[in-house]
Amino acid sequence: MKTPVSVLGTGRMGSALARAFIKNGHPITVWNRTPHKAEPLAALGATVAESVDRAISASGIVVVNVSDYDASAALLHGVAGTLRGKLIVELTSGTPQGARGAAEWAKAQGANYLDGAILATPNLIGSAQGVILVSGPLAAFTAHKDTLLSLGNVRHVGEDPGTASTLDGAALSQMWGGLFGTLHAIALCEAEKVDLAALAQQWTESAPVIEGLISDLIARTKAKRFAGDEQTLSSISAHHGALQHLIEITHMRNLDPALVEAYDEVFKRAVAAGHLDDDFAAMTRFMQRSL
Ligand code: NAP
């Protein structure tokens, strides 16, 4: 028999997680604060528990997926005595600090704890695109890897329980950088009466260029190669000059300048410190406000 798993929280994501375990033949027990939302899973073969402690006692692995860490803590703290010897897999989104605090608390209850970040939407869970990063004790991950792989492309990213959440924040930052940048691009095209079809085509062509710049930025920062050299793709000076044109047109067309002015604030710190000729990667040193 495959390893039994309990899932606390059967919202959109929790239900997808439970379905993926069921599809892989794991006996599943689910609990949800609003019981009727768990009923569709019963039709698929899940046992719907009447209480959190009954759900926990049904399995050695307890997957938690509720809206936030406060909700999760309220659930688990209420049944602390039932957690000894269990593996808690916290897949609720949160902060690195929250993950570390939850890990400490779980350890004090005699439970193992893995913290995960889901980088996918519910429809992708159980597939290769269902990327889930997990951090915490490698031994706990390795022991239950086969079970966790039911959820998709599940990867262990570090012993520090805060690592998955940190990478989740990094992914959100990159995603919103692109999405908010595109909001500004759309506003600019609309103000200048440029067909959005042209923007769509340009994006297809420029996306690989931007991807190359981002990969280069990460690699150079890791290698601390901040000074401009023969491999530099573009200096701070080149980026800073181009931004001034974007700021000008933004004000001329009465667009919201908040984004472009925020970029300029970081440039100003780098320029004031004399880094105009450095590689763009030197900008990473000016993202900390204390510098
Ligand atoms: P959702 O559909 O709104 O479900 C929220 C779940 O949390 C429901 O089961 C809800 O129970 C439960 N809940 C909320 N407050 C609670 C409380 N105080 N006590 C007990 N249960 C409580 O949201 P979701 O999309 O499934 O998201 C769940 C988590 O997955 C979040 O942390 C989210 O950031 C993360 N996530 C979601 C996605 C996504 O694409 N949906 C992607 C990545 C990560 P009720 O049914 O009783 O309200």
Side-chain angles (χ1 to χ4, degrees):
M1 187 178 85
K2 288 211 173 178
T3 309
V5 180
S6 295
V7 178
L8 306 182
T10 60
R12 284 178 197 85
M13 183 54 82
S15 293
L17 300 172
R19 282 195 298 272
F21 283 125
I22 292 168
K23 199 173 162 201
N24 267 283
H26 290 274
I28 291 298
T29 302
V30 294
W31 174 88
N32 196 57
R33 178 181 61 177
T34 309
H36 77 83
K37 287 195 197 165
E39 289 307 327
L41 294 163
L44 300 176
T47 301
V48 180
E50 291 167 5
S51 61
V52 177
D53 56 344
R54 286 199 177 184
I56 290 172
S57 63
S59 315
I61 301 178
V62 179
V63 172
V64 187
N65 186 256
V66 290
S67 50
D68 55 39
Y69 278 10
D70 286 345
S72 175
L75 289 183
L76 297 179
H77 289 208
V79 294
T82 64
L83 293 169
R84 182 161 294 281
K86 305 282 180 183
L87 171 64
I88 301 168
V89 183
E90 178 64 84
L91 296 183
T92 301
S93 303
T95 62
Q97 292 75 13
R100 292 180 193 121
E104 280 294 310
W105 181 84
K107 195 174 168 190
Q109 313 314 311
N112 251 325
Y113 180 92
L114 291 170
D115 196 274
I118 304 173
L119 305 188
T121 46
N123 57 314
L124 299 176
I125 297 301
S127 75
Q129 290 82 41
V131 175
I132 301 181
L133 308 180
V134 174
S135 52
L138 178 60
F141 177 77
T142 306
H144 300 286
K145 189 174 174 184
D146 287 348
T147 300
L148 295 174
L149 283 176
S150 300
L151 300 178
N153 182 0
V154 184
R155 284 196 293 121
H156 185 262
V157 290
E159 290 271 336
D160 172 356
T163 304
S165 180
T166 301
L167 288 169
D168 190 29
L172 290 174
S173 181
Q174 290 178 306
M175 177 185 77
W176 283 321
L179 288 176
F180 275 93
T182 304
L183 288 181
H184 195 86
I186 290 170
L188 186 61
C189 287
E190 288 182 334
E192 290 288 334
K193 303 202 182 337
V194 171
D195 192 332
L196 291 184
L199 177 63
Q201 185 183 350
Q202 173 181 289
W203 165 243
T204 306
E205 291 158 355
S206 60
V209 179
I210 295 171
E211 195 187 327
L213 284 167
I214 291 171
S215 297
D216 185 62
L217 168 59
I218 296 169
R220 285 193 74 112
T221 304
K222 182 166 167 48
K224 299 195 186 326
R225 290 173 55 218
F226 299 123
D229 58 29
E230 64 283 359
Q231 271 109 39
T232 286
L233 299 174
S234 38
S235 64
I236 288 179
S237 171
H239 281 278
H240 178 251
L243 178 65
Q244 302 317 304
H245 304 311
L246 184 57
I247 290 173
E248 189 180 330
I249 187 172
T250 295
H251 284 292
M252 279 173 63
R253 287 300 182 188
N254 202 24
L255 307 179
D256 187 334
L259 288 178
V260 290
E261 287 181 353
Y263 301 151
D264 206 31
E265 284 306 310
V266 187
F267 272 117
K268 278 178 185 158
R269 292 200 283 272
V271 172
H275 290 273
L276 266 179
D277 294 331
D278 281 358
D279 188 280
F280 183 79
M283 291 286 284
T284 54
R285 300 161 69 192
F286 297 92
M287 288 300 288
Q288 286 179 17
R289 301 185 80 186
S290 56
L291 280 173

